[in-house]
Coordinates of all heavy atoms in Angstrom, one line a residue:
M1 N 0.8 -1.2 0.0 CA 0.0 0.0 0.0 C 0.9 1.3 0.0 O 0.4 2.3 -0.3 CB -0.9 0.0 1.2 CG -2.0 -1.1 1.2 SD -3.0 -1.0 -0.2 CE -3.5 -2.6 -0.4
G2 N 2.1 1.1 0.4 CA 3.0 2.3 0.3 C 2.7 3.4 1.2 O 2.4 3.2 2.4
D3 N 2.7 4.6 0.7 CA 2.5 5.8 1.5 C 1.0 6.3 1.4 O 0.8 7.5 1.5 CB 3.4 6.9 1.0 CG 4.9 6.5 1.3 OD1 5.2 6.0 2.4 OD2 5.7 6.7 0.4
R4 N 0.1 5.5 1.1 CA -1.3 5.9 1.0 C -1.9 6.3 2.3 O -1.8 5.5 3.3 CB -2.1 4.9 0.3 CG -1.7 4.8 -1.2 CD -2.7 4.1 -2.0 NE -2.6 2.7 -1.8 CZ -3.3 1.8 -2.4 NH1 -4.3 2.1 -3.2 NH2 -3.1 0.5 -2.2
V5 N -2.4 7.4 2.4 CA -3.0 8.0 3.6 C -4.5 8.2 3.4 O -4.9 8.8 2.3 CB -2.3 9.3 4.0 CG1 -3.0 9.9 5.2 CG2 -0.8 9.1 4.2
V6 N -5.3 7.8 4.3 CA -6.7 8.0 4.2 C -7.2 8.9 5.4 O -6.8 8.7 6.5 CB -7.5 6.7 4.2 CG1 -9.0 6.9 4.2 CG2 -7.0 5.8 3.1
V7 N -8.1 9.8 5.1 CA -8.8 10.6 6.1 C -10.2 10.1 6.2 O -10.9 10.1 5.2 CB -8.8 12.1 5.8 CG1 -9.6 12.9 6.8 CG2 -7.3 12.7 5.7
V8 N -10.6 9.7 7.4 CA -12.0 9.2 7.6 C -12.7 10.2 8.5 O -12.3 10.3 9.7 CB -12.0 7.8 8.2 CG1 -13.4 7.3 8.4 CG2 -11.2 6.8 7.3
T9 N -13.6 10.9 8.0 CA -14.4 11.8 8.8 C -15.4 11.0 9.6 O -15.8 9.9 9.1 CB -15.2 12.9 8.0 OG1 -16.1 12.2 7.1 CG2 -14.2 13.7 7.2
G10 N -15.7 11.4 10.8 CA -16.6 10.6 11.6 C -16.0 9.3 12.1 O -16.7 8.3 12.3
G11 N -14.7 9.3 12.2 CA -13.9 8.1 12.4 C -13.8 7.7 13.9 O -13.1 6.7 14.2
S12 N -14.4 8.4 14.8 CA -14.2 8.1 16.2 C -15.2 7.0 16.7 O -15.0 6.4 17.8 CB -14.3 9.3 17.1 OG -15.7 9.8 17.0
K13 N -16.2 6.7 15.9 CA -17.2 5.7 16.3 C -18.0 5.2 15.1 O -17.9 5.8 14.0 CB -18.1 6.2 17.4 CG -18.8 7.4 17.1 CD -19.5 8.0 18.3 CE -20.0 9.4 18.0 NZ -20.5 10.0 19.2
G14 N -18.7 4.2 15.3 CA -19.7 3.7 14.2 C -19.0 3.3 12.9 O -18.0 2.6 12.9
I15 N -19.7 3.6 11.8 CA -19.2 3.2 10.5 C -17.8 3.8 10.2 O -17.0 3.1 9.7 CB -20.2 3.6 9.4 CG1 -21.5 2.8 9.6 CG2 -19.6 3.4 8.0 CD1 -22.6 3.3 8.7
G16 N -17.6 5.0 10.6 CA -16.3 5.6 10.3 C -15.2 4.9 11.0 O -14.1 4.6 10.5
Y17 N -15.4 4.5 12.3 CA -14.4 3.7 13.0 C -14.2 2.4 12.4 O -13.0 2.0 12.2 CB -14.9 3.5 14.5 CG -13.9 2.9 15.4 CD1 -13.0 3.6 16.1 CD2 -13.9 1.5 15.6 CE1 -12.0 3.0 16.9 CE2 -13.0 0.9 16.4 CZ -12.1 1.6 17.1 OH -11.2 1.0 17.9
A18 N -15.2 1.7 11.9 CA -15.1 0.4 11.3 C -14.3 0.5 10.0 O -13.5 -0.3 9.6 CB -16.5 -0.2 11.1
V19 N -14.6 1.6 9.2 CA -13.9 1.8 8.0 C -12.4 2.1 8.3 O -11.5 1.5 7.6 CB -14.5 3.0 7.2 CG1 -13.6 3.5 6.1 CG2 -15.9 2.7 6.7
A20 N -12.1 2.9 9.2 CA -10.7 3.2 9.6 C -10.0 1.9 10.0 O -8.9 1.6 9.6 CB -10.7 4.2 10.7
R21 N -10.6 1.1 10.8 CA -10.0 -0.2 11.3 C -9.7 -1.1 10.1 O -8.7 -1.7 10.0 CB -10.9 -0.9 12.3 CG -10.3 -2.2 12.8 CD -11.2 -2.8 13.9 NE -12.5 -3.1 13.3 CZ -13.6 -2.9 14.0 NH1 -13.6 -2.3 15.2 NH2 -14.8 -3.2 13.4
A22 N -10.7 -1.2 9.1 CA -10.5 -2.1 7.9 C -9.3 -1.6 7.1 O -8.5 -2.3 6.6 CB -11.8 -2.2 7.2
L23 N -9.3 -0.3 6.9 CA -8.2 0.3 6.1 C -6.8 0.1 6.7 O -5.9 -0.2 6.0 CB -8.5 1.8 5.9 CG -9.6 2.1 4.9 CD1 -10.0 3.6 5.0 CD2 -9.3 1.7 3.5
I24 N -6.8 0.2 8.0 CA -5.5 0.0 8.7 C -5.1 -1.5 8.5 O -3.9 -1.8 8.3 CB -5.6 0.3 10.2 CG1 -5.7 1.9 10.4 CG2 -4.5 -0.2 11.0 CD1 -6.1 2.3 11.7
Q25 N -6.0 -2.4 8.6 CA -5.8 -3.8 8.4 C -5.3 -4.1 7.0 O -4.5 -5.0 6.8 CB -7.0 -4.7 8.7 CG -7.3 -4.7 10.2 CD -8.7 -5.4 10.5 OE1 -9.5 -5.6 9.6 NE2 -8.9 -5.7 11.7
D26 N -5.6 -3.2 6.1 CA -5.2 -3.3 4.7 C -3.9 -2.6 4.4 O -3.4 -2.5 3.3 CB -6.3 -2.9 3.7 CG -7.4 -3.9 3.5 OD1 -7.2 -5.1 3.8 OD2 -8.4 -3.5 3.0
G27 N -3.3 -2.0 5.5 CA -2.0 -1.4 5.3 C -2.0 0.1 5.1 O -0.9 0.7 4.9
Y28 N -3.1 0.8 5.2 CA -3.1 2.2 5.1 C -2.8 2.9 6.4 O -3.0 2.4 7.5 CB -4.5 2.7 4.7 CG -4.9 2.4 3.3 CD1 -5.4 1.1 2.9 CD2 -4.8 3.3 2.3 CE1 -5.8 0.8 1.6 CE2 -5.2 3.0 1.0 CZ -5.6 1.8 0.6 OH -6.0 1.5 -0.6
T29 N -2.3 4.1 6.3 CA -2.2 5.0 7.4 C -3.4 5.8 7.4 O -3.8 6.4 6.4 CB -0.9 6.0 7.3 OG1 0.2 5.1 7.3 CG2 -0.9 6.9 8.4
V30 N -4.1 6.0 8.5 CA -5.4 6.6 8.6 C -5.4 7.7 9.6 O -4.9 7.6 10.7 CB -6.5 5.5 9.0 CG1 -7.8 6.2 9.2 CG2 -6.6 4.4 8.0
T31 N -6.0 8.9 9.2 CA -6.2 10.0 10.1 C -7.8 10.0 10.2 O -8.5 10.1 9.2 CB -5.7 11.3 9.5 OG1 -4.3 11.3 9.4 CG2 -6.1 12.5 10.4
I32 N -8.2 9.9 11.5 CA -9.7 10.0 11.7 C -10.0 11.3 12.3 O -9.1 12.0 12.9 CB -10.1 8.9 12.7 CG1 -9.4 8.9 14.0 CG2 -10.0 7.5 12.1 CD1 -10.0 8.0 15.1
T33 N -11.1 11.8 11.9 CA -11.6 13.1 12.4 C -12.9 13.0 13.2 O -13.7 12.1 12.9 CB -11.7 14.2 11.3 OG1 -12.8 13.9 10.5 CG2 -10.4 14.3 10.5
S34 N -13.1 13.9 14.1 CA -14.3 14.0 14.8 C -14.4 15.5 15.4 O -13.4 16.1 15.5 CB -14.4 13.0 16.0 OG -15.5 13.3 16.8
R35 N -15.6 15.9 15.6 CA -15.7 17.3 16.3 C -15.2 17.2 17.7 O -14.9 18.3 18.3 CB -17.2 17.7 16.3 CG -17.7 18.1 14.9 CD -19.2 18.5 15.0 NE -19.9 17.2 15.3 CZ -21.2 17.2 15.7 NH1 -21.8 18.3 15.9 NH2 -21.8 16.1 15.9
H36 N -15.2 16.1 18.3 CA -14.9 15.9 19.7 C -13.4 15.4 19.9 O -13.1 14.3 19.7 CB -15.8 15.0 20.4 CG -17.3 15.4 20.1 ND1 -17.9 16.5 20.7 CD2 -18.2 14.9 19.3 CE1 -19.1 16.6 20.3 NE2 -19.3 15.7 19.4
A37 N -12.5 16.3 20.4 CA -11.1 16.0 20.5 C -10.9 14.8 21.4 O -10.1 13.9 21.1 CB -10.4 17.2 21.0
D38 N -11.6 14.7 22.5 CA -11.4 13.6 23.4 C -11.8 12.2 22.8 O -11.1 11.2 22.9 CB -12.2 13.8 24.7 CG -13.7 14.0 24.5 OD1 -14.1 14.4 23.4 OD2 -14.4 13.7 25.5
E39 N -12.9 12.2 22.0 CA -13.3 11.0 21.3 C -12.4 10.5 20.2 O -12.0 9.4 20.1 CB -14.7 11.1 20.7 CG -15.8 11.3 21.8 CD -17.2 11.5 21.2 OE1 -17.3 11.3 19.9 OE2 -18.1 11.7 21.9
V40 N -11.9 11.5 19.5 CA -11.0 11.2 18.4 C -9.6 10.7 18.9 O -9.0 9.8 18.4 CB -10.9 12.3 17.3 CG1 -10.0 13.4 17.8 CG2 -10.4 11.8 16.0
T41 N -9.2 11.3 20.0 CA -7.9 10.9 20.6 C -8.0 9.5 21.1 O -7.1 8.6 20.9 CB -7.5 11.9 21.8 OG1 -7.4 13.2 21.2 CG2 -6.2 11.4 22.4
Q42 N -9.1 9.1 21.8 CA -9.3 7.8 22.3 C -9.4 6.8 21.2 O -8.8 5.7 21.3 CB -10.6 7.8 23.2 CG -11.0 6.4 23.6 CD -10.1 5.9 24.8 OE1 -9.6 6.7 25.5 NE2 -10.0 4.6 24.8
A43 N -10.2 7.1 20.2 CA -10.3 6.2 19.0 C -9.0 5.9 18.3 O -8.7 4.8 18.0 CB -11.4 6.7 18.1
A44 N -8.2 7.0 18.1 CA -6.9 6.8 17.4 C -6.0 5.9 18.3 O -5.3 5.1 17.7 CB -6.3 8.2 17.2
A45 N -6.0 6.1 19.6 CA -5.2 5.2 20.5 C -5.7 3.8 20.4 O -4.8 2.9 20.3 CB -5.3 5.7 21.9
E46 N -7.0 3.5 20.3 CA -7.5 2.2 20.2 C -7.1 1.5 18.9 O -6.8 0.3 18.8 CB -9.0 2.2 20.3 CG -9.5 2.5 21.7 CD -11.0 2.7 21.8 OE1 -11.7 2.5 20.8 OE2 -11.5 3.1 22.9
L47 N -7.1 2.3 17.8 CA -6.8 1.8 16.5 C -5.3 1.5 16.3 O -4.9 0.7 15.4 CB -7.2 2.8 15.4 CG -8.7 2.9 15.2 CD1 -9.1 4.1 14.4 CD2 -9.3 1.6 14.6
G48 N -4.4 2.1 17.1 CA -3.0 1.8 17.1 C -2.1 2.7 16.3 O -2.6 3.8 15.8
G49 N -0.9 2.3 16.0 CA 0.1 3.1 15.5 C -0.1 3.6 14.1 O 0.5 4.6 13.7
Q50 N -0.9 3.0 13.3 CA -1.2 3.5 11.9 C -2.3 4.5 11.9 O -2.7 4.9 10.8 CB -1.5 2.3 11.0 CG -0.3 1.4 10.7 CD 0.8 2.2 10.0 OE1 1.8 2.5 10.6 NE2 0.6 2.5 8.7
A51 N -2.8 4.9 13.1 CA -3.9 5.8 13.2 C -3.5 7.1 13.8 O -2.7 7.1 14.7 CB -5.1 5.2 14.0
R52 N -4.0 8.2 13.3 CA -3.8 9.5 13.9 C -5.2 10.1 14.1 O -6.1 9.9 13.2 CB -3.0 10.4 13.0 CG -1.5 9.9 13.0 CD -0.7 10.6 11.8 NE 0.6 10.2 11.8 CZ 1.1 9.0 11.4 NH1 0.2 8.0 11.0 NH2 2.4 8.7 11.3
G53 N -5.4 11.0 15.0 CA -6.6 11.6 15.3 C -6.5 13.1 15.1 O -5.5 13.7 15.4
A54 N -7.6 13.8 14.6 CA -7.6 15.2 14.5 C -9.0 15.7 14.7 O -10.0 15.2 14.1 CB -7.2 15.6 13.1
A55 N -9.1 16.6 15.6 CA -10.4 17.3 15.9 C -10.8 18.2 14.7 O -9.9 19.0 14.3 CB -10.4 18.1 17.2
C56 N -11.9 18.0 14.1 CA -12.3 18.8 12.9 C -13.8 18.7 12.8 O -14.4 17.7 12.7 CB -11.6 18.2 11.7 SG -12.1 19.0 10.1
D57 N -14.4 19.9 12.6 CA -15.8 20.0 12.4 C -16.0 20.2 10.9 O -15.6 21.2 10.3 CB -16.4 21.2 13.1 CG -17.9 21.3 13.0 OD1 -18.5 20.7 12.1 OD2 -18.5 22.1 13.8
V58 N -16.5 19.1 10.2 CA -16.6 19.2 8.8 C -17.6 20.2 8.3 O -17.7 20.5 7.1 CB -17.0 17.8 8.2 CG1 -15.9 16.8 8.5 CG2 -18.3 17.3 8.7
R59 N -18.4 20.8 9.2 CA -19.2 21.9 8.8 C -18.5 23.2 8.5 O -19.0 24.2 8.0 CB -20.3 22.1 9.8 CG -21.2 20.9 10.0 CD -22.2 21.1 11.1 NE -21.4 21.2 12.4 CZ -21.9 21.3 13.6 NH1 -23.2 21.3 13.7 NH2 -21.1 21.4 14.6
D60 N -17.2 23.3 8.9 CA -16.4 24.4 8.8 C -15.3 24.2 7.7 O -14.3 23.5 7.9 CB -15.7 24.7 10.2 CG -14.7 25.8 10.2 OD1 -14.4 26.4 9.1 OD2 -14.2 26.2 11.3
P61 N -15.5 24.8 6.6 CA -14.6 24.6 5.4 C -13.1 24.9 5.8 O -12.2 24.2 5.3 CB -15.1 25.6 4.3 CG -16.5 25.8 4.7 CD -16.6 25.7 6.2
Q62 N -12.9 25.9 6.6 CA -11.5 26.2 6.9 C -10.9 25.1 7.8 O -9.7 24.8 7.6 CB -11.4 27.6 7.6 CG -11.7 28.7 6.7 CD -11.7 30.0 7.4 OE1 -12.0 30.1 8.6 NE2 -11.4 31.1 6.7
A63 N -11.7 24.5 8.7 CA -11.2 23.4 9.5 C -10.9 22.2 8.7 O -9.9 21.5 8.9 CB -12.2 23.1 10.6
V64 N -11.8 21.9 7.7 CA -11.5 20.8 6.8 C -10.3 21.0 6.0 O -9.4 20.1 5.9 CB -12.8 20.6 5.9 CG1 -12.5 19.5 4.8 CG2 -14.0 20.2 6.7
Q65 N -10.1 22.2 5.4 CA -8.9 22.5 4.6 C -7.6 22.3 5.5 O -6.6 21.7 5.1 CB -9.0 23.8 4.0 CG -7.8 24.1 3.1 CD -7.8 23.2 1.8 OE1 -8.8 23.2 1.1 NE2 -6.7 22.5 1.6
A66 N -7.7 22.8 6.7 CA -6.5 22.7 7.6 C -6.2 21.2 7.9 O -5.1 20.8 7.9 CB -6.8 23.4 8.9
A67 N -7.2 20.4 8.1 CA -7.0 19.0 8.4 C -6.4 18.3 7.2 O -5.5 17.5 7.3 CB -8.3 18.3 8.8
V68 N -6.9 18.6 6.0 CA -6.4 18.0 4.8 C -4.9 18.4 4.5 O -4.1 17.6 4.2 CB -7.3 18.3 3.5 CG1 -6.6 17.9 2.2 CG2 -8.6 17.7 3.7
D69 N -4.7 19.7 4.7 CA -3.3 20.2 4.6 C -2.3 19.5 5.5 O -1.2 19.3 5.2 CB -3.3 21.7 4.8 CG -3.9 22.5 3.7 OD1 -4.2 22.0 2.6 OD2 -4.2 23.7 4.0
A70 N -2.8 19.2 6.7 CA -1.9 18.6 7.7 C -1.5 17.2 7.3 O -0.5 16.7 7.8 CB -2.6 18.6 9.1
V71 N -2.3 16.5 6.5 CA -2.0 15.1 6.2 C -1.5 14.9 4.7 O -0.9 13.8 4.5 CB -3.2 14.1 6.4 CG1 -3.5 14.1 7.9 CG2 -4.3 14.5 5.6
T72 N -1.7 15.8 3.9 CA -1.3 15.6 2.5 C 0.2 15.3 2.3 O 0.6 14.6 1.3 CB -1.7 16.7 1.5 OG1 -1.3 18.0 2.0 CG2 -3.3 16.8 1.4
A73 N 1.0 15.8 3.1 CA 2.5 15.6 3.0 C 2.8 14.1 3.3 O 3.9 13.7 2.9 CB 3.2 16.5 4.0
R74 N 1.9 13.4 3.9 CA 2.2 12.0 4.2 C 2.0 11.0 3.1 O 2.4 9.8 3.2 CB 1.4 11.5 5.4 CG 1.7 12.3 6.7 CD 1.0 11.7 7.8 NE 0.9 12.7 8.9 CZ -0.2 12.9 9.6 NH1 -1.3 12.1 9.4 NH2 -0.3 13.8 10.5
G75 N 1.4 11.4 2.0 CA 1.2 10.5 0.9 C 0.0 10.9 0.1 O -0.6 11.9 0.3
A76 N -0.4 10.0 -0.9 CA -1.6 10.2 -1.7 C -2.8 10.2 -0.8 O -3.0 9.2 -0.1 CB -1.6 9.2 -2.8
L77 N -3.6 11.2 -0.9 CA -4.7 11.3 0.0 C -6.0 10.7 -0.6 O -6.4 11.1 -1.7 CB -4.9 12.8 0.4 CG -6.1 13.1 1.3 CD1 -5.9 12.5 2.7 CD2 -6.2 14.6 1.4
V78 N -6.7 9.9 0.2 CA -8.0 9.4 -0.1 C -8.9 9.9 1.1 O -8.5 9.7 2.2 CB -8.1 7.9 -0.2 CG1 -9.5 7.4 -0.5 CG2 -7.2 7.4 -1.4
I79 N -10.1 10.4 0.7 CA -11.0 10.9 1.8 C -12.1 10.0 1.9 O -12.8 9.7 0.9 CB -11.4 12.3 1.5 CG1 -10.2 13.3 1.4 CG2 -12.4 12.8 2.6 CD1 -10.6 14.6 0.9
A80 N -12.4 9.5 3.1 CA -13.6 8.6 3.3 C -14.4 9.3 4.4 O -13.9 9.5 5.5 CB -13.1 7.2 3.7
G81 N -15.6 9.5 4.1 CA -16.5 10.2 5.1 C -17.7 9.3 5.4 O -18.3 8.7 4.6
A82 N -17.9 9.2 6.7 CA -19.1 8.4 7.2 C -20.0 9.4 7.9 O -19.6 10.0 8.9 CB -18.6 7.3 8.1
A83 N -21.2 9.5 7.4 CA -22.2 10.3 8.1 C -23.6 9.8 7.7 O -23.8 9.4 6.6 CB -22.1 11.8 7.6
N84 N -24.5 9.8 8.6 CA -25.8 9.4 8.4 C -25.9 8.0 7.8 O -26.7 7.8 6.8 CB -26.6 10.4 7.5 CG -26.6 11.8 8.2 OD1 -26.8 11.9 9.4 ND2 -26.5 12.8 7.4
D85 N -25.1 7.1 8.2 CA -25.0 5.7 7.7 C -24.7 5.6 6.3 O -25.1 4.7 5.6 CB -26.4 5.0 8.1 CG -26.6 4.8 9.5 OD1 -25.6 4.7 10.3 OD2 -27.7 4.9 10.0
E86 N -24.0 6.6 5.7 CA -23.6 6.5 4.3 C -22.0 6.7 4.3 O -21.5 7.3 5.1 CB -24.2 7.6 3.5 CG -25.7 7.5 3.4 CD -26.3 8.6 2.6 OE1 -25.6 9.3 1.9 OE2 -27.6 8.7 2.6
L87 N -21.4 6.1 3.3 CA -20.0 6.2 3.1 C -19.7 6.9 1.8 O -20.3 6.5 0.8 CB -19.3 4.8 3.1 CG -17.8 4.7 2.9 CD1 -17.1 5.5 4.0 CD2 -17.4 3.3 2.8
V88 N -18.8 7.9 1.8 CA -18.5 8.7 0.6 C -17.0 8.6 0.5 O -16.3 8.9 1.4 CB -18.9 10.1 0.8 CG1 -18.5 10.9 -0.5 CG2 -20.4 10.2 1.0
L89 N -16.5 8.2 -0.7 CA -15.1 8.2 -1.0 C -14.7 9.2 -2.1 O -15.5 9.4 -3.0 CB -14.7 6.8 -1.5 CG -14.9 5.6 -0.5 CD1 -14.6 4.3 -1.2 CD2 -14.0 5.8 0.7
G90 N -13.6 9.8 -2.0 CA -13.0 10.7 -3.0 C -11.5 10.7 -2.9 O -11.0 10.0 -2.1
H91 N -10.9 11.5 -3.7 CA -9.4 11.5 -3.6 C -8.9 12.9 -4.0 O -9.6 13.6 -4.7 CB -8.7 10.4 -4.4 CG -9.1 10.5 -5.9 ND1 -8.3 11.3 -6.7 CD2 -10.0 10.0 -6.6 CE1 -8.8 11.2 -8.0 NE2 -9.9 10.4 -7.9
G92 N -7.7 13.2 -3.6 CA -7.1 14.5 -3.9 C -7.3 15.5 -2.7 O -8.0 15.3 -1.8
A93 N -6.6 16.6 -2.8 CA -6.7 17.6 -1.8 C -7.7 18.6 -2.1 O -8.0 18.8 -3.3 CB -5.3 18.3 -1.7
L94 N -8.3 19.1 -1.1 CA -9.4 20.2 -1.3 C -8.7 21.5 -1.5 O -7.6 21.7 -1.1 CB -10.3 20.3 0.0 CG -11.0 19.0 0.3 CD1 -11.8 19.3 1.6 CD2 -11.9 18.6 -0.8
S95 N -9.3 22.4 -2.3 CA -8.7 23.7 -2.4 C -9.8 24.7 -2.6 O -11.0 24.4 -2.8 CB -7.8 23.8 -3.6 OG -8.5 23.4 -4.8

């Protein structure tokens, strides 16, 4: 899988957490986001060394851009978002 990095929004619990766990098992480095810093920190710790956590409110475009900017240097970015029991995948940096 090389240097592929995935950002999973809503990754501190539920579908997002499960997606993050599956991606890590497939060899990806995963950054999970959540509005709640304590929840995302706990979830990243549970997921292990290939996981990083970042507090980010996806309703705030500037916060999203800052989160994406923080991880794009680590490799090719794939964005996976889990919200309202739906999964959305995309790739590339936001601008």
Side-chain angles (χ1 to χ4, degrees):
M1 296 298 155
D3 295 316
R4 291 195 281 181
V5 177
V6 179
V7 175
V8 180
T9 61
S12 66
K13 56 188 169 188
I15 293 171
Y17 184 88
V19 167
R21 184 177 56 225
L23 290 167
I24 289 168
Q25 290 172 347
D26 283 343
Y28 287 83
T29 298
V30 176
T31 297
I32 58 171
T33 69
S34 171
R35 288 179 289 165
H36 307 287
D38 57 337
E39 291 178 9
V40 78
T41 300
Q42 174 73 28
E46 291 171 3
L47 289 167
Q50 289 300 105
R52 291 165 178 73
C56 177
D57 186 342
V58 297
R59 299 172 296 182
D60 178 352
Q62 292 176 331
V64 172
Q65 186 65 57
V68 170
D69 289 345
V71 298
T72 53
R74 294 188 204 139
L77 177 64
V78 176
I79 301 169
N84 300 321
D85 295 327
E86 295 180 12
L87 177 63
V88 179
L89 298 174
H91 60 87
L94 301 177
S95 56

